[in-house]
Amino acid sequence: MASISIPLVYKSHSLSRSSSYRPHFTTPQLHLPIQFKCSATNEGSNNEESSCQFKQLRNVACGFLAVWAVANSVSPVIAAGQRLPPLSTDPDRCARAFVGNTIGQANGVYDKPLDLRFCDYTNEKNNLKGKSLAAALMSGAIFDGADMTEVIMSKAYAVGASFKGTDFSNAVLDRVNFEKANLQGASFKNTVLSGSTFNDAQLEDADFEDTIIGYIDLQKICLNKTINEEGRVNLGCR
């Protein structure tokens, strides 16, 4: 958690002399969440009037930064048990996958949710390669036979989606929820699978050659009994 400490130094005589003084603040570049701490240091003599003026100035500073933090916060992660947003009414929502999430990368931040639920991209060979589908909602979508090489799907929600024969070579599938997804025959050659979950997913004949996966994630995926012997050898399951 980032923390801002604002030491506001004042002298009582300077505030009492200039009633037209207006503070100016520069918006800080921060990573949320943020904790604000305002502190004051008194130099010189102190009196009741200047103390009151200073407290008002300090409150303005803290209030400004607090409003800025709320206005600029984005929370793309769908927590466990949290309900999904209503299905988008955008008539072109499925076609937005061909553009991708223009500001979201591995962090999954987006300006507008990428809602691909129940869209059909069967055998799509040209328009999905290398796209950023970070934090995309994919449940119920069909990507069978699609070329999704080099895609970025960080924090995507793909519960119940179908990826039969999908090519994920060189893709970044970081923290993707593949629960109950059909991944039969999918290719994960040289694919990053860090933090992704495959609870009750179908992984028959999936290719895990040179897959990049952490030790803890490896232990979890190896519990999936649908992975064939060759896949288990490539993964290094024991």
Side-chain angles (χ1 to χ4, degrees):
M1 175 179 291
S3 175
I4 300 177
S5 180
I6 310 174
L8 299 177
V9 181
Y10 74 100
K11 296 183 179 180
S12 58
H13 63 273
S14 62
L15 286 175
S16 60
R17 290 179 182 176
S18 178
S19 60
S20 61
Y21 173 76
R22 294 293 183 270
H24 174 74
F25 301 98
T26 301
T27 302
Q29 300 298 318
L30 301 169
H31 297 285
L32 300 178
I34 301 169
Q35 178 181 3
F36 295 99
K37 296 180 180 179
C38 296
S39 60
T41 302
N42 184 5
E43 294 182 358
S45 60
N46 186 22
N47 57 57
E48 184 176 352
E49 179 182 358
S50 61
S51 176
C52 180
Q53 291 175 333
F54 178 75
K55 288 179 180 179
Q56 292 176 348
L57 175 60
R58 184 183 60 188
N59 291 339
V60 169
C62 290
F64 174 85
L65 291 173
V67 170
W68 173 86
V70 172
N72 287 275
S73 62
V74 180
S75 181
V77 181
I78 299 175
Q82 181 178 343
R83 291 193 303 175
L84 297 175
L87 191 67
S88 172
T89 57
D90 182 355
D92 298 321
R93 66 181 183 84
C94 292
R96 290 188 62 217
F98 304 144
V99 177
N101 198 324
T102 56
I103 70 169
Q105 297 295 326
N107 56 10
V109 176
Y110 54 74
D111 53 348
K112 185 178 181 181
L114 195 59
D115 194 345
L116 311 180
R117 287 174 289 182
F118 309 109
C119 296
D120 191 342
Y121 303 98
T122 301
N123 294 323
E124 174 55 61
K125 300 296 185 182
N126 300 310
N127 297 311
L128 294 173
K129 295 188 293 184
K131 295 299 188 296
S132 174
L133 305 179
L137 301 176
M138 297 177 162
S139 52
I142 302 174
F143 294 87
D144 296 349
D147 186 342
M148 300 185 72
T149 55
E150 300 182 354
V151 300
I152 297 175
M153 278 175 55
S154 297
K155 299 183 181 180
Y157 186 83
V159 172
S162 183
F163 299 93
K164 292 186 292 184
T166 301
D167 189 355
F168 286 114
S169 298
N170 303 308
V172 177
L173 309 181
D174 174 48
R175 291 163 290 176
V176 180
N177 189 341
F178 283 115
E179 182 177 350
K180 297 181 180 179
N182 191 332
L183 294 151
Q184 298 179 50
S187 176
F188 297 101
K189 290 183 179 179
N190 199 39
T191 302
V192 176
L193 289 179
S194 57
S196 294
T197 55
F198 296 86
N199 298 337
D200 298 321
Q202 300 177 53
L203 291 164
E204 295 93 337
D205 300 320
D207 186 353
F208 294 99
E209 182 180 349
D210 296 325
T211 298
I212 302 170
I213 186 171
Y215 179 70
I216 300 300
D217 297 321
L218 175 62
Q219 289 181 312
K220 293 178 180 179
I221 196 173
C222 286
L223 295 176
N224 191 306
K225 302 301 182 182
T226 65
I227 301 175
N228 63 20
E229 187 60 30
E230 182 180 358
R232 299 180 71 82
V233 170
N234 285 333
L235 281 170
C237 297
R238 297 181 179 180

